[in-house]
């Protein structure tokens, strides 16, 4: 920490996103970057804490406090302040395989736990991270690093989301021959199809995949293990398998009218949109299109926000977002102190854009959908909603109870269900008869990534349940170490 | 030899090798050599008047030992002997042995028979035996029970080879003694319970024993015989750290009486043993080995010193010459020493390292008698000479009543100086005369010029060593286990700032042996440090006494003054760069030939990793090669791991070096060769210290240096080129090394080398005994296999071809890292604790405690390794003493106002006062407003007031507002070190509380300048008890091997409480290496203390407290079971108040307002007293539950119940570590009647004091009604701390302002004892007509002190020493007029006193921060060292003052300002009025003539701030605003306050 008073003398500064009016007209990233010298000054705000809570990555009350990857923020914050970008990059790469992803899409639990945040706005950790890795790419520091010595062992990785990619990257470093199987036409999993382009430009994903391929990792796309390729065959062809298939079963809403057409899962909608974008040569419209329609998104999370923003770009007539939870407070509540993840109201880019267009926040809090209304053609035309009260049920669990008389009907020709995911899909797992837990996640031993079958490992949402990209990378890295230990007896991979 | 010493055998954590002693010494001599009984009886009076410096055990009438050394009393013996059939030859042709023998008659006779045989074998004549008459009726039980049979053996001179020096018979007697010792002690099976020669000489005789001073003449009836005559007498009253009977350890020894301690004893003894094979002389007959070992093992440091001195003086040098070899004065940096004397010292330094430590020695060969003071002048020695040539020297002045008009000279011994009397020549030989003569005896300068090899000084451009590229460098760094922290935190800081990096908040990482991460071998060693029995020194401010030089090459022959002896290579520091190493490689002189040896191990190709067998084989290979090389004439061995790589593993350099060092000692080859290490492994100061401590002479840390260069290339060190960065790094290393040795009170690298001043933690005995002989290691631990594993782990990472995990590991030692070393305080534990205390929810506390205990048990702390053994029947929780009672035993740690914000400091105090526990001021004083209760009923007054070495804010008023006064001897985070508060942190409000100036830096010296040994501590305890008789006196020690014996000494010194602090305690700022590597966990220190106190039957007299990361009820339970009854907490409560372990306390940027003075940050403080109360209550609740389970109803029942600790749990949980905690739970075999917790009050003996008996009664009218009182009273040196009780009575009644000036005027006639007028407030004026001893006016708080010579005195006042050392230490206000010279360290740490004195010794005005001092005459060296405030005016008649003044922080100019000159005139005039000094009067009479000679000594910072404040006032600010403005301006100038 070169400047012990930085946190007192320098204000937090992040680059403003591109203006809503401008950005909704295209699909380009909404992010902008600060000039390098300003970003460097932001590094000086880091206090180089005796206990950097930012890198702790511990669970407090179920939420991550600090970075699950244990990024070495105090080290690289200081380095960028010194203008030592190359060193900063080296320290960043020690813990994070894909900073260009987390630097864009991570909700940054690090900043929630940043000690500066006790009294002032926290250090711009996420922007600093993004600036470091973007510079590394632009300076040409990012070069394929094939291992100098191959182990002679091969590992199959099923799924190419962030967990799978991270796992592949690590195992390749350790010298194992890695094959990544992906059922979609492009690798990347949710990075490619789950997150819209304006949040994470797909160029970055393909650039990364290409780099990994150059380092010796094989990618097999359009191949669903368990369907296109039987699992036992995969197992037999490799010395180990790591399952990184994600938690892709979306949560549904079984209310009257669910079978009407025009009701889609958010992930399908977003996938369709991105595929249309990437396949620009196909022209035409996305397979799920909302142009000129009233859209209702059910679910107030990040995916819901992505749906809102996508719908706006597709030219919807209106967009509303139903959120069953109450509006979060503007500041931390007493029972949610630092360094816990701050449960505060955030107005994300999608809502910002909606507000910009319509003048009103699209979010309807404490609201549930009671029924989907038929437009007469088997197509959804509206939603009947009601306000809810959260009251304890007989077991004492808080449950949302509709308030009689609060019913309302909203126009909706398209409904997007963004209510989270239930767990992994079953096919490949059943084929192997892997042990699962009550939430249908793949069970692994305490603190290990080994499934109930030797040589088969699981990581990411498939093991952990639906979570953040940053957790997925962490899982992929840890599973890689477990797998390497299994294959080699020792491992120099960080855990 | 357990029986001889009377000490209990080594058991549990108690080790008799740790015993210390100190004392008072005295010498009475007739310079003309006229023998008389008067000399004997006067010496005995001296001894009795020094009684208070001796110690007594749990039994008042069993002393620690006393004795007297005399010339052979020929007249008496000649009268007595015929009647017992002994016919004495003429004087000088017979010798007398004073022998302690077994009480059993048969056994005794058998031994006597053996001795007689030996006498005859040496060709001498047995004349007979005599049993000197004794009377043991006054002896205590312990002394009586342990008394030996005391016999005198008379030996007539027989066959003696003629010798020019007339010592042939003495040598023969010496040989008889040495051979007897070997013969008798060699037979271990049937060794007698007593066999000891108190003396055996034809010149001197020693009467001594386990006696009090008064018992000496009563016991040895010979001494009262009027025929008992001598021209000289040495006496000694001993104060030991134990209560065990020991007749032998009484002084004087055969040639010597010593007051002090030899800090370097282990190294000196090792080296003496090592150089024996090289000693050649015919003086002791054909076979020199008959006198070996020169040093008899198992003796005290004084005994060993005596052994060496005796050998050297019989080996051809005069005794004074020998003494100077062993205790040279600091010559290297002397500004005015003659060159031939420097050459004398330089020559002898190539032969032998100094025996270093605080020492006042008196020695004699029976004809010449001398006295010598150590280089630091840390012991007092005052003397006087009378008209009729009587010289009396003693630890104190006034020990013998001599009519004032008889005294022609009163003086003191000065640092490094010698006083010599030749009774044969009838001469008193002055130091300078004697030394000049000695220096000219041989052409030492010529010899040095011809033989000594010097290298060009470092600083030349480093040789291009073919820099590694970044990746290759990374690999090498990994190979040697470097972390990113090593590079960024440690190496960068050293290369950038040329100082060691600073940290704060202590350490909470596991002991190396418990860590899950690979650990360098260095981490298993903890630095030892000086506390109580010897002082650490200030290597920065007193650098004139230090030296970092070492010699390379074969040592010569100790007893033969030959020019070849100095054919050695001198290095200014053991840290060298590549150039120097190359130069060493190129040397070709005999005795200096270098041979390179590899410390690499080949990796067997099929194996891929190193095994412990490989390692052992390679170590043996190294030892064998080294041995061969030495035998072939190598004088320097260069051990190198240069080519470490995939096929060659580097063995740990420390293991290789220490192992080789001991191997060569065992083979008798050690002093023929020096070890130079060329290694990639060492990188920080602790590493360097260990290497030098285990015998290495020079270290080239090539990889660290390569890293420094790489860091320059990578632009991490802007503004530095590679050469200057490397130099900075080496300089930082050298400074750090000097600091490490100064912590042990050692001044020279040469004495530190090989001294092994470390304790190992977690290393098994196999490893210790083979490679680290005699290093304490008390809990067992790892062997070679674990070391090999670590090497392999590092190698794997380095040699991984894929570089799977590129870049260095973060480390996480200094700052937590997820991937790094574990810390007790981590994100989760901090959060959980804060949530628990804020919510007040005990369940949340339990979750926190569970986490903490679990972490601790898994792998963090020693306490975590114990299992608690539940009682067969638990007690109901309701029967356990209540929370309210338990929290009264709780205290918060000593954290100063200054390190903590006002808000945090006061919140702690309020919380602890609400609970009935105790908070602690720390070392920073306390705002008197806090002594008044708040309207809410809360009190901000800290119950414990700390008295630390800086004495900041320690006033009479401060002291009387304490419930407990804590003397801080050491602090866990940096034991043995002082502190420094840089100017930018001395905010106006801090300055006010500390009686200092805003913006001006403050220094706390490493030692208390009134505690250089155990009897000094007893004195300070006594002083403080007088200053506040209602307060308990507590002594804070830090855990280390031997702390138990020190604690016993402290208990004997009548402390009420002993605090044993763990090494891991917090700190505002401390060097990182000190935080981690100095001191030990409290578990070890506490257990040792409890065991040792029990063995001494002192445990029941004292309360034992412990602290050091106590964080849960379980921690407290373990502490109680190991022997503590009170408990301190610091980090825990701070966390409760919002601390989040930022570890930036040293930067003043604490973002939660806890450890900062910045008003903007203080606003952020959110702590509340309730948080601390909750913390304490939770701990107590937790503890109660454990107590119920263990079946204890009260803490008292629980104290020391080690039977409830399962020490085997560690072995079960970590079998691979081979830990053995059984010594911690050792229960000494003692009687049931021995008390096991504090239950009796110490008798401080206040009621006998002059204050209680006389002063308070006669001053009642002043005390009650403020009426004037005047009186004249006699005083003696035994009247100590006179006036202090009276002063405290005034303060209690009249508050900080005291009474109107001079309300009480007391005049004392005679010699005042120590600490005269300590802490006295305004209104009390105390005049001495005569003289005073050490510590006069200590902590003066507004009173007035005058010392003037007796009106009958015939000497010139300005030339005679009238007050002792360390006068007015820590004075805050008042006036002092001293008509005479003062000793060393006059006005040290003065912060407000105005004083006039006529001359001062060395280190005058040291660390002064305020007040004014006028010195009208000569000053010693190093004046104004570390002075940061106040002004001194020195009359510099000979224009030589500037050279003696340490101008690092002050400027020294003529006094020109007329206003100021007038003020000085007025001060001198007042001096004259109070003292009637004719000298002062003559100056006043010719003021204008004298004025140009006055020098004005002004600290530069102080001047700047004063000027800034003045300017601000002129701009219209009020004084307070002006100060704040001046402070702000000052603080901006950051460059200036970088500190050091």
């Amino acid at each position: 920490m070169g400047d012990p008073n930085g946190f007192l003398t320098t204000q937090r500064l992040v680059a403003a996103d591109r203006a809503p009016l401008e950005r909704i007209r295209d699909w380009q990233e909404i992010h902008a970057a600060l000039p390098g010298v300003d970003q460097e000054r932001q590094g000086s705000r880091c206090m180089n804490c005796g206990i950097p809570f930012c890198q702790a990555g511990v669970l407090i009350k179920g939420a991550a406090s600090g970075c699950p990857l244990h990024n070495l923020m105090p080290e690289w914050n200081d380095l960028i302040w010194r203008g030592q970008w190359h060193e900063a990059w080296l320290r960043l790469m020690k813990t994070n395989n894909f900073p260009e992803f987390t630097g864009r899409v991570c909700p940054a639990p690090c900043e929630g736990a940043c000690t500066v945040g006790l009294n002032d706005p926290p250090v711009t950790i996420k922007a600093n991270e993004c600036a470091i890795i973007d510079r590394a790419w632009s300076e040409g520091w990012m070069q394929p690093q094939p291992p100098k010595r191959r182990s002679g062992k091969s590992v199959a990785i099923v799924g190419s989301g962030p967990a799978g990619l991270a796992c592949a990257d690590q195992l390749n470093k350790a010298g194992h021959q890695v094959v990544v199987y992906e059922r979609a036409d492009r690798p990347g999993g949710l990075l490619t199809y789950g997150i819209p382009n304006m949040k994470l430009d797909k160029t970055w994903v393909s650039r990364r995949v290409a780099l990994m391929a150059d380092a010796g990792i094989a990618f097999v796309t359009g191949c669903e293990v368990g369907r296109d390729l039987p699992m036992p065959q995969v197992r037999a062809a490799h010395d180990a398998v790591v399952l990184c298939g994600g938690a892709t079963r979306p949560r549904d809403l079984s209310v009257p009218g669910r079978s009407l057409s025009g009701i889609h899962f958010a992930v399908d909608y977003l996938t369709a949109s991105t595929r249309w974008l990437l396949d620009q040569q196909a022209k035409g419209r996305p397979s799920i299109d909302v142009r000129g329609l009233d859209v209702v998104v059910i679910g107030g999370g990040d995916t819901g926000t992505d749906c809102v923003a996508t719908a706006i770009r597709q030219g919807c007539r209106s967009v509303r977002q139903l959120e069953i939870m109450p509006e979060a407070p503007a500041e931390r509540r007493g029972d949610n102190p630092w360094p816990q993840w701050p449960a505060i109201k955030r107005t994300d880019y999608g809502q910002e854009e909606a507000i910009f267009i319509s003048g009103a926040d699209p979010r309807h809090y404490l609201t549930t959908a009671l029924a989907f209304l038929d437009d007469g053609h088997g197509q959804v035309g509206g939603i009947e909603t009601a306000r809810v009260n959260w009251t304890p049920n007989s077991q004492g669990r808080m449950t949302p109870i509709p308030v009689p008389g609060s019913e309302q009907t909203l126009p909706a020709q398209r409904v997007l269900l963004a209510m989270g995911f239930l767990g992994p899909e079953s096919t490949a797992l059943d084929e192997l008869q892997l042990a699962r837990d009550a939430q249908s996640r793949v069970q692994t031993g305490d603190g290990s990534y080994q499934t109930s079958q030797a040589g088969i490992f699981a990581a990411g949402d498939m093991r952990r349940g639906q979570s953040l990209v940053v957790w997925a990378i962490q899982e992929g890295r840890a599973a890689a170490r477990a797998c390497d230990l299994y294959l080699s007896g020792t491992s120099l991979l960080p855990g | 030899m357990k029986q001889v010493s009377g000490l209990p055998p080594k058991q549990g954590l108690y080790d008799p090798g740790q015993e210390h002693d100190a004392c008072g010494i005295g010498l009475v001599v007739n310079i003309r050599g006229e023998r008389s009984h008067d000399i004997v009886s006067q010496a005995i009076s001296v001894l009795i008047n020094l009684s208070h410096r001796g110690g007594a055990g749990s039994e008042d009438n069993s002393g620690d030992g006393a004795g007297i050394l005399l010339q052979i009393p020929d007249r008496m013996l000649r009268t007595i002997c015929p009647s017992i059939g002994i016919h004495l030859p003429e004087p000088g042709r017979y010798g007398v042995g004073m022998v302690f023998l077994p009480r059993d008659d048969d056994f005794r006779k058998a031994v006597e028979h053996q001795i007689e045989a030996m006498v005859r074998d040496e060709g001498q004549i047995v004349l007979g035996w005599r049993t000197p008459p004794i009377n043991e009726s006054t002896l205590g039980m312990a002394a009586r029970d342990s008394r030996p049979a005391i016999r005198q053996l008379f030996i007539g001179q027989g066959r003696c080879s003629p010798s020019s020096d007339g010592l042939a018979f003495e040598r023969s007697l010496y040989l008889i003694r040495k051979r007897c010792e070997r013969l008798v002690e060699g037979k271990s099976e049937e060794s007698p319970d007593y066999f000891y020669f108190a003396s055996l000489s034809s010149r001197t005789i020693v009467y001594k024993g386990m006696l009090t001073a008064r018992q000496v003449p009563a016991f040895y009836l010979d001494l009262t015989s009027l025929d008992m005559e001598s021209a000289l007498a040495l006496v000694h009253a001993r104060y030991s750290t134990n209560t065990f009977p020991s007749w032998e350890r009484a002084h004087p020894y055969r040639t010597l009486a010593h007051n002090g301690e030899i800090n370097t004893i282990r190294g000196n003894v090792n080296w003496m043993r090592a150089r024996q094979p090289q000693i050649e002389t015919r003086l002791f007959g054909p076979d020199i080995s008959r006198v070996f070992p020169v040093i008899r093992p198992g003796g005290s440091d004084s005994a060993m010193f005596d052994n060496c001195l005796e050998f050297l003086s019989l080996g051809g040098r005069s005794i004074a010459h020998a003494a100077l070899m062993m205790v040279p004065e600091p010559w290297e940096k002397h500004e005015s020493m003659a060159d031939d004397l420097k050459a004398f010292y330089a020559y002898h330094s190539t032969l032998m390292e100094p025996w270093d430590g605080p020492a006042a020695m008196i020695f004699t060969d029976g004809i010449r008698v001398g006295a010598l003071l150590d280089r630091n002048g840390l012991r007092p020695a005052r003397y006087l000479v009378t008209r009729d040539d009587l010289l009396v020297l003693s630890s104190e002045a006034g020990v013998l009543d001599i009519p004032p008009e008889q005294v022609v000279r009163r003086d003191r011994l000065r640092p490094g100086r010698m006083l010599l009397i030749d009774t044969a020549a009838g001469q008193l030989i002055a130091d300078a005369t004697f030394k000049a003569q000695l220096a000219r005896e041989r052409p030492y300068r010529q010899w040095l010029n011809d033989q000594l090899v010097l290298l060009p000084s470092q600083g030349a451009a480093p040789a291009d060593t073919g820099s590694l590229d970044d990746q290759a460098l990374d690999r090498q760094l990994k190979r040697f286990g470097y972390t990113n922290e090593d590079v960024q935190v440690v190496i960068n800081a050293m290369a950038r700032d040329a100082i060691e990096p600073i940290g704060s908040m202590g350490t909470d990482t596991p002991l190396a042996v418990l860590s899950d991460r690979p650990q360098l071998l260095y981490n298993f060693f903890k630095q030892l440090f000086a506390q109580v029995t010897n002082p650490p020194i200030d290597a920065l401010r007193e650098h004139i006494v230090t030296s970092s030089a070492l010699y390379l090459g074969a040592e010569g022959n100790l007893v033969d003054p030959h020019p070849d002896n100095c054919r050695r290579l001198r290095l200014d520091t053991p840290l060298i760069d590549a150039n120097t190493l190359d130069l060493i490689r190129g040397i070709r002189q005999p005795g200096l030939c270098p041979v390179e040896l590899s410390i690499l191990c080949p990796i067997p190709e099929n194996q891929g990793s190193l095994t412990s067998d490989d390692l052992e084989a390679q170590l043996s290979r190294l030892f064998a090669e080294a041995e061969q090389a030495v035998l072939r004439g190598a004088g320097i061995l260069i051990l190198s791991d240069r080519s470490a790589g995939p096929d060659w593993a580097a063995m740990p350099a420390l293991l290789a070096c220490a192992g080789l060092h001991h191997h060569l000692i065992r083979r008798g080859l050690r002093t023929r060769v020096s070890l130079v290490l060329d290694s990639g492994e060492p990188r920080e100061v602790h590493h360097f210290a260990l290497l030098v401590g285990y015998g290495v002479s020079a270290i080239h840390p090539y990889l660290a240096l390569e890293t420094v260069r790489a860091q320059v290339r990578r632009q991490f060190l802007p503004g530095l080129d590679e050469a200057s960065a490397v130099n900075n790094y080496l300089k930082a290393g050298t400074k750090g090394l000097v600091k490490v040795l100064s912590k042990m009170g050692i001044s020279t690298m040469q004495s530190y080398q090989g001294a092994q001043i470390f304790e190992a933690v977690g290393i098994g005995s196999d490893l210790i005994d083979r490679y680290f002989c005699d290093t304490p290691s008390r809990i067992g631990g790892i062997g070679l296999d674990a070391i090999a594993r670590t090497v392999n782990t590092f190698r794997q990472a380095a040699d991984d071809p894929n570089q799977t995990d590129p870049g260095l590991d973060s480390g996480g030692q200094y700052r937590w890292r997820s991937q790094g070393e574990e810390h007790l305080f981590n994100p989760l534990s901090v959060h959980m604790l804060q949530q628990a205390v804020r919510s007040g929810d005990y369940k949340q506390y339990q979750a926190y405690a569970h986490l903490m205990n679990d972490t601790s048990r898994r792998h963090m702390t020693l306490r975590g390794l114990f299992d608690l053994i539940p009682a067969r029947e638990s007690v109901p929780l309701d029967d356990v003493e209540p929370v309210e009672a338990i929290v009264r035993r709780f205290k918060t740690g000593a954290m100063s106002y200054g390190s903590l914000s006002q808000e945090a400091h006061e919140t702690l105090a309020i919380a602890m006062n609400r609970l009935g526990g105790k908070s602690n001021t720390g070392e920073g004083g306390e705002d008197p407003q806090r002594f008044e209760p708040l309207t809410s009923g809360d009190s901000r007054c800290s119950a414990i007031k700390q008295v630390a070495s800086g004495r900041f804010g320690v006033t009479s008023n401060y002291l009387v507002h304490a419930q407990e006064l804590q003397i801080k001897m050491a602090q866990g985070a940096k034991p043995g070190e002082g502190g420094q508060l840089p100017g930018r942190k001395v905010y106006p409000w801090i300055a006010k509380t500390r009686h200092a100036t805003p913006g001006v830096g403050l220094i706390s010296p490493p030692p208390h300048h009134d505690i250089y040994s155990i009897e000094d501590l007893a004195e300070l305890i006594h002083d403080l008890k007088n200053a506040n008789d209602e307060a308990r006196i507590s002594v804070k020690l830090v855990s280390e091997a031997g702390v138990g014996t020190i604690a016993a000494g402290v208990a004997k010194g009548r402390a009420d409480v002993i605090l044993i602090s763990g090494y891991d305690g917090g700190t505002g700022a401390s060097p990182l290496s000190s935080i981690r590597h100095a001191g030990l966990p409290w578990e070890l220190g506490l257990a040792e203390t409890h065991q040792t106190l029990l063995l001494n039957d002192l445990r029941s007299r004292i309360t034992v407290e412990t602290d050091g990361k106590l964080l849960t009820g379980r921690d407290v339970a373990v502490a109680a079971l190991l022997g503590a009854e009170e408990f301190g907490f610091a980090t825990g409560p701070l966390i409760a108040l919002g601390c989040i372990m930022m570890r930036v306390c040293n930067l003043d940027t604490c973002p939660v307002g806890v450890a900062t003075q910045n008003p903007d940050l203080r606003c952020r403080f959110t702590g509340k007293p309730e948080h601390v109360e909750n913390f304490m209550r939770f701990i107590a609740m937790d503890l109660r539950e454990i107590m119920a389970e263990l079946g204890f109803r009260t803490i008292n029942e629980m104290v020391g119940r080690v039977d409830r600790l399962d020490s085997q749990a560690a072995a079960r949980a970590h079998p691979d570590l081979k830990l053995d905690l059984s010594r911690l739970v050792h229960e000494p075999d003692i009687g049931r009647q021995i008390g096991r917790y504090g239950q009796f009050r110490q008798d401080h003996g206040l009621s006998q004091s002059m204050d209680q008996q006389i002063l308070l009664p006669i001053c009642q009218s002043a005390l009650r009604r403020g009426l004037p009182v005047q009186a004249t009273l006699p005083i003696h040196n035994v009247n100590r701390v006179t006036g202090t009780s009276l002063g405290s009575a005034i303060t209690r009644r009249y508050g900080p302002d005291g009474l109107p000036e001079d309300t009480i005027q007391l005049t004392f006639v005679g010699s005042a004892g120590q600490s005269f007028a300590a802490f006295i407030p305004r209104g009390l004026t105390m005049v001495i007509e005569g003289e005073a001893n050490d510590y006069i006016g200590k902590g003066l708080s507004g009173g007035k002190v005058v010392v003037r010579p007796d009106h009958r005195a015939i000497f010139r006042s300005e030339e005679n020493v009238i007050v002792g050392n360390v006068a007015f230490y820590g004075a805050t206000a008042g006036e002092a007029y001293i008509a005479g010279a003062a000793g060393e360290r006059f006005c040290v740490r003065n912060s407000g006193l105005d004083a006039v004195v006529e001359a001062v010794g060395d280190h005058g005005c040291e660390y002064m921060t305020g007040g004014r001092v006028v010195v009208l005459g000569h000053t010693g060296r190093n004046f104004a060292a570390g002075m940061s405030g106040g002004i001194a005016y020195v009359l510099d008649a000979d224009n030589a003052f500037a050279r003696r003044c340490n101008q690092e922080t002050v400027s020294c100019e003529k006094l020109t300002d007329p206003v100021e000159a007038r003020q000085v005139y007025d001060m001198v005039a007042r001096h004259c009025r109070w003292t009637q000094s004719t000298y002062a009067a003559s100056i006043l009479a010719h003021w204008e003539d004298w004025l140009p000679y006055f020098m004005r000594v002004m600290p530069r910072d102080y001047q700047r701030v004063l000027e800034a404040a003045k300017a601000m006032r002129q701009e219209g600010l009020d004084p307070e605003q002006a100060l704040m403005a001046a402070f702000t301006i000052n603080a901006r100038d950051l460059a200036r306050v970088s500190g050091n």
Side-chain angles (χ1 to χ4, degrees), chain A residues 48 50 55 70 75 120 149, chain B residues 802 810 815-816 818-819 1164:
Chain A
N48 188 18
Q55 66 138 196
H70 312 308
E75 295 175 21
D120 295 306
R149 184 185 292 171
Chain B
N802 292 342
S810 284
R815 308 188 100 71
W816 182 88
S818 283
Q819 313 85 330
R1164 300 176 171 197

Side-chain angles (χ1 to χ4, degrees), chain B residues 329-334 342 375 544 546-549 570 748:
Chain B
E329 66 185 303
W331 52 276
E332 285 172 82
K333 296 171 185 162
H334 205 291
K342 278 195 177 178
R375 56 172 54 214
I544 56 166
T546 65
S547 164
S548 57
R570 184 187 153 95
T748 70

